[in-house]
Amino acid sequence: MLVGYDATIESERALLWAVEEARLRRLPLHMCHAWRWPYPVGYLDYGCMAKVQRIGENILDRGIALAQSIAPMVETRKHLMDGPAYAALMHHSHDAELIVVGSHDPDDLSVGSTALRLPARAHRPVVVVRTTGTRFGQVVVGVDGSAGGDAALAMAFEEADLRGWRVRAVYGCWEPSAARDGDLALFNDEEKLRRVSRDRLDRAIAPWRARHPLVEAEATLVVEPPRQALFAAAEAADLVVAGNRGAGGLDPLALGATSSALLQHVPCTVAIVQPAGQA
């Protein structure tokens, strides 16, 4: 379990989520902090750099103490690196079960933020934490019949099983631009579109229901674009899970349009999962 920590309120929310994940999954917690010399290279002052580095070490020590006060049974390890937070987390992410980071409110999320850059490039699932605690006891997951959607279902059911939450699987089927070969005709016949899409949704969630029989699961078909369907469902969710680069994904290095929209507009915690074979 890997978490980015910089002692801000946002990173403390991420730390609380990561500690709980580590406890539930019985995994060690790796805490990463990236420090940076804020001036051009020509103005290096090694004495000041050492002080900045010590501040980073103190921040990590504070985070470790907080984690141990919450869950003393969880093994915690710290990693201090120089450079951008995004690069530091990527460096330590290869063996991570999950990567957990905090985030500003959606309205304050900049294009170059770690919360947007990391899910696009990381090979592991990334959880972007905005809230902690349980309000609804529900995980919402986007389904579209793609490999990314299947990976999202796997994580959603696993999280629900670990936390005792429900799953609501949402299929927003009105996306002509991402239609498979031969499917465009469905958008001229809404009744047939509903039948075909419902069959895909039921088949997609069936194996995960079988693997997690104690998880209460609801399958919802909406004749709307996926992002609108997920935005609406997220209003009653503690976590929204989506596969990166789903049925409409083209660029293997870009964050999918729906995933990006969720990170930029949904107020609850969001998890972005890579398709199987890319994790």
Side-chain angles (χ1 to χ4, degrees):
M1 189 67 52
L2 177 65
V3 60
Y5 182 74
D6 63 6
T8 60
I9 292 174
E10 292 81 11
S11 73
E12 289 195 353
R13 292 193 196 112
L15 177 58
L16 293 174
W17 187 286
V19 168
E20 181 68 359
E21 287 283 353
R23 185 187 70 80
L24 291 171
R25 295 171 182 269
R26 299 181 181 180
L27 294 171
L29 177 66
H30 293 256
M31 191 179 306
C32 182
H33 176 72
W35 66 277
R36 296 187 72 180
W37 175 249
Y39 301 105
V41 175
Y43 295 89
L44 286 177
D45 183 315
Y46 292 101
C48 289
M49 284 184 66
K51 290 180 181 178
V52 174
Q53 185 172 357
R54 283 199 299 273
I55 291 172
E57 292 170 350
N58 291 338
I59 287 173
L60 274 179
D61 288 341
R62 171 182 169 174
I64 292 291
L66 177 58
Q68 291 178 340
S69 71
I70 299 168
M73 73 294 295
V74 173
E75 179 185 352
T76 54
R77 304 171 188 172
K78 60 183 181 180
H79 304 279
L80 181 66
M81 291 188 67
D82 64 335
Y86 154 78
L89 288 165
M90 285 291 292
H91 178 80
H92 289 288
S93 68
H94 299 291
D95 297 324
E97 186 88 3
L98 294 176
I99 309 167
V100 184
V101 295
S103 171
H104 297 291
D105 291 336
D107 291 340
D108 297 327
L109 197 62
S110 65
V111 173
S113 69
T114 300
L116 287 177
R117 295 183 69 190
L118 193 62
R121 301 297 178 91
H123 296 291
R124 310 303 301 163
V126 177
V127 179
V128 178
V129 179
R130 293 204 173 100
T131 57
T132 56
T134 302
R135 293 184 61 204
F136 304 101
Q138 181 163 264
V139 183
V140 166
V141 56
V143 179
D144 62 3
S146 69
D150 198 51
L153 278 166
M155 181 174 179
F157 271 85
E158 183 178 27
E159 284 290 322
D161 212 345
L162 287 169
R163 295 172 180 267
W165 291 355
R166 303 180 305 280
V167 168
R168 184 181 177 192
V170 177
Y171 188 172
C173 64
W174 192 265
E175 195 175 21
S177 62
R180 308 172 190 180
D181 293 341
D183 279 1
L184 274 175
L186 293 174
F187 295 94
N188 296 318
D189 185 340
E190 184 173 320
E191 183 179 347
K192 186 174 182 180
L193 174 65
R194 286 179 179 273
R195 287 200 311 270
V196 172
S197 300
R198 168 57 66 176
D199 180 63
R200 287 176 181 164
L201 174 57
D202 291 342
R203 283 189 285 111
I205 68 172
W208 303 109
R209 276 179 160 156
R211 294 182 195 186
H212 300 273
L214 300 181
V215 173
E216 179 184 341
E218 173 189 0
T220 303
L221 178 69
V222 183
V223 186
E224 292 181 358
R227 72 185 71 180
Q228 275 71 35
L230 288 170
F231 286 170
E235 294 179 3
D238 295 295
L239 172 67
V240 175
V241 185
N244 190 20
R245 300 186 298 277
L250 297 174
D251 185 349
L253 295 178
L255 190 61
T258 298
S259 301
S260 180
L262 290 172
L263 289 171
Q264 293 182 74
H265 298 290
V266 168
C268 67
T269 295
V270 177
I272 304 299
V273 188
Q274 302 297 340
Q278 296 184 29

